[in-house]
Amino acid sequence: MERWKTIIEPFRIHSVEPIRLTTREERERALKAAGWNLFNLHADDVIIDLLTDSGTGAMSRDQWAAVQHGDESYAGSPSWFTFLESVRELWPYKHVIPTHQGRAAERILFSVLGGPGKVVPNNTHFDTTRANVEATGAEALDLPIPEALHPATVHPFKGNMDVTALERLLDERAEEVPVVFVTITNNSGGGQPVSLRNLRAVRTVCDRHAIPLFLDACRFAENAWFIKLREEGQGGRAIPDIVRDMASLADGMTMSAKKDGLANIGGWLAMNDDQLAEQCRNLLILTEGFPTYGGLAGRDLEAIAQGLREVVDEDYLRYRIRSTEYLGDAIDAAGVPLVKPIGGHAVYLDARALLPHIPPLEYPGHALSVALYREGGIRGTEIGTVMFGRHPDGTETPAAMDLVRLAIPRRTYTQSHVDYVIEVVRFVAERAAQLRGFRIVEEPPRLRHFTAKFEPL
Ligand code: F0G
């Protein structure tokens, strides 16, 4: 296949979902009714939904068949053992604790490890991860490499953690750090991969201070594919072997199966430490369920088990990463500023650079995402000052970047959908000078981007 330039989806379509084609006037009305918050729209009013790649992918024929094997026994279901075996094939940790999605794993782990006076470093916390750390009274500290903060700077592993900054933190405050986290791929930093070499260096620093290292492994297969493509000596290796290498460098993981589990719901928490696992299981029983289902139906466990076998397939990963790159390259060629290199699951437009006339506290990322919806019915999401600008002490400052993420659901849209997105992004970018900022008229104390109401300025 390497001979041909055209990216073909390595699957045929087996069942179709209609897309309702709305008019610009309909979308104007929908925006007003939603308080200009795209999370508040009726999804039937969206043409191409790039809000998230989480739980929005298409399951395969074999996953739907696996669903029929779902066994709903409360305890010890065969589906649990199928799930466990499939997880352990890639992530051979001693304890695997199923949860209904990634943030449930985060909530449980940080309830045990967090608390006031603690600090959790991460290359970059995803919003729910940060919120779950902060909800315990702990501090969530981002330590990405300096290149990660410059959207236009190209680096093969722009998701890497700043090892020197981690060393400095641990030299000064090791007793306050219960765990070090690395997010693969680094979602909030642009869907950028982390190298095995960086993980090894982080591991060495953690070992020096006897602090456990955990992975937020939502997009582990995409990360492994980038390692295969870009890291010296990795090109000839099988993806599952690269994944097991990542696993061996950490003491545990949190996972959302809604991403590289290729499932619509699910997640897990895994670790080697017996005592920590026992504490986590006790919390699991309190809110999620018995340890052999953890808030999931047996059929969900089956879908994830099959999804994990499919996600490490090289034809799938080649198509996945190249089709994201195709979208990014076309937008780049049109001169629209974006995060480079193109990440694994999404393209991140640099709204701060595209809209220099809108100051960060008037939310350029929000303005751009609203415009993409109004003009083309495309729903992306702001990752910037709306998402990260409000702090636990009530103050508001500009986020490090103001990006708009166009996340690509797995195996869901075709190349002509992507071509349409390119056309709309170009149209909006050509008229960028006409866009205006927003102000927030209503917001909750935490994770405000989900429910805040806005007004155009
Ligand atoms: N960690 C990362 C890196 C994530 O991207 C997400 C979810 C989570 C944890 C939480 O997992 O949704 O299953 O509870 N990210 C989605 C997104 C929501 O759109 O990027 P969850």
Side-chain angles (χ1 to χ4, degrees):
M1 290 307 293
E2 283 304 311
R3 222 182 122 188
W4 308 107
K5 282 214 192 67
T6 309
I7 304 160
I8 68 161
E9 292 81 7
F11 47 79
R12 293 181 298 196
I13 292 164
H14 165 263
S15 115
V16 298
E17 287 180 284
I19 293 177
R20 198 170 77 84
L21 301 176
T22 51
T23 63
R24 192 177 188 279
E25 290 65 43
E26 285 176 298
R27 295 193 293 271
E28 279 283 10
R29 274 199 299 279
L31 274 173
K32 202 172 236 172
W36 283 275
N37 186 333
L38 302 183
F39 282 100
N40 222 2
L41 291 171
H42 193 310
D44 276 351
D45 294 333
V46 177
I47 296 177
I48 305 284
D49 205 347
L50 307 183
L51 185 69
T52 179
D53 63 320
S54 180
T56 52
M59 291 218 293
S60 68
R61 170 194 66 190
D62 293 339
Q63 281 179 291
W64 286 110
V67 162
Q68 296 298 321
H69 288 270
D71 178 295
E72 306 304 339
S73 302
Y74 187 92
S77 156
S79 299
W80 154 248
F81 292 100
T82 303
F83 167 84
L84 184 62
E85 193 184 326
S86 191
V87 171
R88 283 244 184 86
E89 174 70 23
L90 295 169
W91 301 97
Y93 293 122
K94 191 164 171 200
H95 303 280
V96 177
I97 300 172
T99 59
H100 79 275
Q101 60 184 80
R103 69 197 67 183
E106 293 165 1
R107 161 120 178 115
I108 289 169
L109 185 70
F110 295 125
S111 299
V112 176
L113 294 180
K118 301 276 175 62
V119 52
V120 177
N122 198 321
N123 45 352
T124 309
H125 289 83
F126 182 64
D127 59 350
T128 61
T129 323
R130 168 170 291 277
N132 272 302
V133 169
E134 289 175 350
T136 71
E139 179 190 346
L141 187 65
D142 291 342
L143 301 177
I145 54 169
E147 289 88 340
L149 297 179
H150 302 285
T153 304
V154 175
H155 185 291
F157 291 101
K158 217 175 171 180
N160 282 353
M161 180 174 257
D162 184 337
V163 180
T164 314
L166 179 68
E167 266 176 322
R168 208 176 311 127
L169 173 76
L170 297 188
D171 284 342
E172 285 163 18
R173 305 169 66 184
E175 60 298 337
E176 296 163 33
V177 180
V179 61
V180 173
F181 253 80
V182 175
T183 304
I184 56 171
T185 57
N186 185 3
N187 182 4
S188 308
Q192 304 291 336
V194 175
S195 67
L196 281 173
R197 190 194 167 106
N198 183 252
L199 280 180
R200 239 176 256 124
V202 169
R203 170 86 239 179
T204 305
V205 177
C206 289
D207 281 346
R208 210 174 295 143
H209 295 273
I211 294 172
L213 170 62
F214 269 59
L215 300 176
D216 176 344
C218 297
R219 299 177 180 84
F220 70 86
E222 293 170 8
N223 200 83
W225 180 255
F226 280 120
I227 286 174
K228 186 180 167 83
L229 286 187
R230 296 179 187 169
E231 190 159 354
E232 212 186 314
Q234 301 297 320
R237 299 186 66 211
I239 295 297
D241 287 337
I242 296 175
V243 175
R244 283 185 287 265
D245 271 6
M246 300 191 293
S248 72
L249 290 168
D251 300 288
M253 68 190 296
T254 55
M255 175 69 192
S256 168
K258 302 171 74 169
K259 285 84 167 175
D260 277 352
L262 296 180
N264 300 122
I265 197 71
W268 69 83
L269 173 59
M271 65 202 67
N272 288 324
D273 187 295
D274 296 332
Q275 204 193 337
L276 178 62
E278 188 184 325
Q279 287 172 288
C280 290
R281 278 204 186 93
N282 290 337
L283 283 177
L284 180 88
I285 293 170
L286 205 60
T287 59
E288 289 278 299
F290 189 72
T292 63
Y293 73 87
L296 293 168
R299 53 180 171 271
D300 299 326
L301 295 168
E302 294 276 358
I304 297 166
Q306 177 59 26
L308 290 175
R309 288 191 276 272
E310 294 175 12
V311 80
V312 291
D313 177 78
E314 298 203 357
D315 288 341
Y316 161 73
L317 284 170
R318 183 178 300 112
Y319 139 79
R320 169 75 177 155
I321 300 303
R322 281 189 60 193
S323 56
T324 307
E325 191 179 44
Y326 171 84
L327 171 63
D329 285 350
I331 292 174
D332 188 28
V336 180
L338 79 181
V339 174
K340 286 186 198 174
I342 308 305
H345 67 295
V347 169
Y348 294 70
L349 309 178
D350 185 351
R352 195 175 287 175
L354 181 68
L355 307 171
H357 59 289
I358 303 181
L361 294 180
E362 293 176 10
Y363 316 123
H366 188 74
L368 180 57
S369 54
V370 166
L372 293 174
Y373 174 73
R374 186 194 298 114
E375 299 309 327
I378 296 163
R379 176 158 70 167
T381 185
E382 191 255 18
I383 300 205
T385 304
V386 175
M387 191 180 269
F388 295 119
R390 180 71 72 197
H391 308 292
D393 67 1
T395 57
E396 188 185 32
T397 56
M401 298 186 269
D402 278 295
L403 305 176
V404 171
R405 184 184 72 170
L406 304 177
I408 321 291
R410 293 171 182 76
R411 307 188 293 201
T412 302
Y413 291 114
T414 64
Q415 184 152 347
S416 54
H417 291 122
V418 173
D419 286 333
Y420 170 78
V421 174
I422 293 165
E423 191 181 343
V424 174
V425 170
R426 292 181 66 152
F427 179 91
V428 170
E430 281 158 13
R431 290 156 184 80
Q434 295 163 23
L435 298 187
R436 292 288 165 268
F438 279 82
R439 70 186 185 95
I440 292 181
V441 292
E442 219 182 285
E443 67 179 286
R446 231 179 249 136
L447 295 175
R448 65 176 177 176
H449 53 289
F450 289 128
T451 53
K453 298 233 161 73
F454 297 81
E455 252 174 32
L457 287 169

